[in-house]
Amino acid sequence: MAAQPELWVVDLGRLPYAAGLALQERVRDARERDVVPDTLLLLEHDPVYTRGRRADPAELPLGEEWYAERGIRIVDVDRGGRVTYHAPGQLVGYPIVRTTDVVAHVRGMERALIAALAEEGVAARSRADEGADFTGVWVADRKIGSIGVHVRRGITTHGFSLNADMDLEPWTWIVPCGLTQPMTSVAAETGRTGPLVPCLRRRVAHAYATECGRRQRLVPPARLERILTATTPALV
């Protein structure tokens, strides 16, 4: 029997958004060269609003200066989707994997998040049949998980975010994903207090590996860095 292919899972802790984006790009380049297998980066970000390719200026109605005064940067990114928010207390996942079907990749992330939330006692669902704007994971009419991806040469970047015990107020300062429906979190749905990300991280990693039919392998960030550094082609 052939060995089950690996999914590398890397717990990065908390990173500024720019650092997470740069690492994604390095891992994507390595994945394209088959230096690393499919890889899932898991982390938390400093407060930031990101604008996807379908974002509308009206989704950030209070202006960049107002958000900056509250310590929230705004970054334009190449993923699909609209405006979303990242901050501590939210689990962010970047699956950097080969795919030939972007829709199946997105649906797989939804299923994995729903499975992980079920283990947390949260009954979540997909609303894929309601259109692209409803991509993500929902608890009734409240959104708990967001998804947006980019694909280059069959390799994905960006991915999902799942609200654990983050402050939800900054979501009310934008029009998240172009929708006016409320955001929620594991803490809000269960009444539990944080930190909730560590347990959620383990559940999501297991659920995503299972969804993809991969054997999870935990890889320390330092080891990933050594591999990326050693295998990066020299500039000439």
Side-chain angles (χ1 to χ4, degrees), residues 139-199:
V139 181
D141 65 343
R142 303 176 296 282
K143 193 170 189 180
I144 195 169
S146 302
I147 291 175
V149 303
H150 178 70
V151 181
R152 189 188 79 179
R153 298 173 188 164
I155 308 293
T156 66
T157 50
H158 301 283
F160 61 82
S161 58
L162 189 59
N163 302 339
D165 56 354
M166 70 190 309
D167 178 8
L168 295 175
E169 184 178 11
W171 286 105
T172 69
W173 302 338
I174 64 172
V175 183
C177 305
L179 301 171
T180 57
Q181 293 177 289
M183 302 297 293
T184 190
S185 66
V186 173
E189 295 298 324
T190 65
R192 295 201 296 272
T193 57
L196 301 181
V197 167
C199 182

Side-chain angles (χ1 to χ4, degrees), residues 17-36:
Y17 187 80
L21 183 60
L23 181 59
Q24 283 187 78
E25 293 171 351
R26 294 175 67 205
V27 176
R28 175 189 61 198
D29 292 346
R31 186 70 188 95
E32 285 182 356
R33 302 192 308 273
D34 287 322
V35 170
V36 298

Side-chain angles (χ1 to χ4, degrees), residues 33 231-235:
R33 302 192 308 273
T231 59
T232 299
L235 297 176

Side-chain angles (χ1 to χ4, degrees), residues 39-231:
T39 298
L40 174 62
L41 306 177
L42 294 172
L43 63 158
E44 295 175 78
H45 279 311
D46 297 337
V48 62
Y49 292 125
T50 64
R51 290 186 289 213
R53 295 191 304 269
R54 295 173 54 234
D56 186 285
E59 294 166 24
L60 290 162
L62 301 176
E64 294 196 23
E65 182 177 345
W66 190 92
Y67 297 119
E69 289 172 353
R70 286 150 184 82
I72 305 177
R73 298 185 60 229
I74 298 173
V75 178
D76 292 310
V77 293
D78 60 3
R79 62 164 172 78
R82 298 175 180 263
V83 170
T84 195
Y85 177 57
H86 302 303
Q90 178 195 70
L91 177 65
V92 176
Y94 296 132
I96 302 171
V97 303
R98 289 194 182 278
T99 187
T100 57
D101 188 332
V102 179
V103 173
H105 172 60
V106 170
R107 298 288 91 83
M109 284 190 284
E110 289 178 339
R111 288 191 295 270
L113 296 183
I114 290 168
L117 287 167
E119 294 189 357
E120 292 284 332
V122 177
R125 65 185 179 117
S126 169
R127 296 175 67 179
D129 58 344
E130 297 179 55
D133 284 347
F134 291 88
T135 296
V137 177
W138 301 76
V139 181
D141 65 343
R142 303 176 296 282
K143 193 170 189 180
I144 195 169
S146 302
I147 291 175
V149 303
H150 178 70
V151 181
R152 189 188 79 179
R153 298 173 188 164
I155 308 293
T156 66
T157 50
H158 301 283
F160 61 82
S161 58
L162 189 59
N163 302 339
D165 56 354
M166 70 190 309
D167 178 8
L168 295 175
E169 184 178 11
W171 286 105
T172 69
W173 302 338
I174 64 172
V175 183
C177 305
L179 301 171
T180 57
Q181 293 177 289
M183 302 297 293
T184 190
S185 66
V186 173
E189 295 298 324
T190 65
R192 295 201 296 272
T193 57
L196 301 181
V197 167
C199 182
L200 197 60
R201 183 190 302 121
R202 292 190 293 271
R203 295 195 193 282
V204 167
H206 179 265
Y208 186 75
T210 300
E211 172 65 33
C212 296
R214 299 288 190 267
R215 177 168 54 90
Q216 181 183 173
R217 181 178 181 184
L218 302 179
V219 176
R223 184 178 178 217
L224 177 65
E225 179 60 36
R226 287 195 300 271
I227 292 169
L228 296 179
T229 300
T231 59

